[in-house]
Amino acid sequence: MLKSKKSGFGITLKKYFNVSQFEGISHPSRDIVDVEQYEFGRLKMAFGLAGISGWIQTIRLVVIPYFAGNLEWIDNYLGMVGRGYLWGTDIGWKKSYLYDCLRDHFLSCTDTTTPLEYVAIQFYAEPMRYILTPVGALIMLTILVAYFFIRRPAPFRVNRKLDAIYGWDLGELWISPASEFDFSYKGEWDPLSFRFFTSGPMVVRLKNAKNPNKTRKFKLGGYPHWDRLHGRVLGKATTAFLKTSRTPDIIENAPRRLHLAWWKWAIFPAAKLPEDIDARAEEWLRKYKYL
């Protein structure tokens, strides 16, 4: 039987967080194994860490200065878009319009320049200041909230009864018959999971159901993982399950449903495979004479 080595620390963490024996797989029925998409976990963790850092920086650079009355860069930008003379109240920018513009003709102002024209004049003088600030704010907002909107994609399915592995991605069916199934594995450098060329995902190449000549690589398996050589162990177990009558221990003991770690939570629920995906896969396999 195929087994993976686990450190005592890893086993302790598994028990503490109630994680399944081997991350990223479930065994809903005798002939089916569902495998999680590896890249989702990495993306979720990356945006989670970026979000924590972003909130800390926002509190440090925006919230604390706001309560201290020291948000000059925001006040300056709001003045550039008209606060104090086009809308709202700001004594400093009101004087800037009345004196710098109307009286001193700053930036080619005239005696008849309107508040809206004053905004336009400043924009044409320094357009990048107007563009970079909202773009930067939008990027920062994305970093702060993106984590909550990244939901787990549908898993890929290994179906021993149909002799195929297949999944649903971006509205398309991707599939490979068992006779053509193979996986590749290469340990990767990944500081997010504290792995340094010691583990990585199982990589499979699947065909596009609509255009079998088009293929694509998918990274499958749990992320992060506590198992050394995670992808290779999973790949060998998957191969044995799909191409033989054996059911390796890590598959036999897998839960019936994929575990959702607390840090993978999202506002939207995890995506599911289409209800008719097994029928679609069978239809494709028959069409191309694999069944």
Side-chain angles (χ1 to χ4, degrees), residues 6-13:
K6 304 179 179 68
S7 66
F9 179 66
I11 294 175
T12 301
L13 286 175

Side-chain angles (χ1 to χ4, degrees), residues 210-224:
K210 294 181 180 179
N211 180 13
N213 292 323
K214 178 182 178 182
T215 63
R216 179 179 157 195
K217 288 183 178 180
F218 293 90
K219 295 182 178 181
L220 306 180
Y223 183 96

Side-chain angles (χ1 to χ4, degrees), residues 129-270:
R129 292 186 65 185
Y130 282 84
I131 295 172
L132 292 178
T133 299
V135 169
L138 182 61
I139 293 174
M140 192 62 187
L141 179 63
T142 301
I143 291 174
L144 293 178
V145 304
Y147 169 86
F148 302 101
F149 292 91
I150 302 174
R151 68 172 181 167
R152 184 173 64 186
F156 277 68
R157 176 160 292 175
V158 182
N159 192 324
R160 182 163 57 187
K161 187 175 181 180
L162 293 181
D163 287 331
I165 176 173
Y166 47 88
W168 192 260
D169 189 74
L170 298 177
E172 293 185 308
L173 175 66
W174 297 84
I175 186 169
S176 175
S179 60
E180 299 178 9
F181 170 77
D182 196 7
F183 77 94
S184 61
Y185 167 81
K186 182 179 180 180
E188 61 180 10
W189 184 80
D190 182 31
L192 287 178
S193 63
F194 301 101
R195 291 287 184 181
F196 302 95
F197 300 107
T198 59
S199 196
M202 170 182 74
V203 181
V204 299
R205 183 177 288 277
L206 304 181
K207 297 180 178 182
N208 184 289
K210 294 181 180 179
N211 180 13
N213 292 323
K214 178 182 178 182
T215 63
R216 179 179 157 195
K217 288 183 178 180
F218 293 90
K219 295 182 178 181
L220 306 180
Y223 183 96
H225 41 77
W226 308 108
D227 303 88
R228 181 175 174 82
L229 307 179
H230 176 91
R232 184 158 67 185
V233 173
L234 176 59
K236 289 184 176 180
T238 301
T239 302
F241 177 79
L242 184 60
K243 295 187 176 184
T244 71
S245 59
R246 295 175 52 216
T247 302
D249 286 349
I250 65 170
I251 291 177
E252 187 69 46
N253 298 328
R256 295 183 63 86
R257 298 179 60 186
L258 282 171
H259 172 75
L260 183 62
W262 64 269
W263 64 273
K264 295 181 181 179
W265 177 87
I267 291 177
F268 299 107

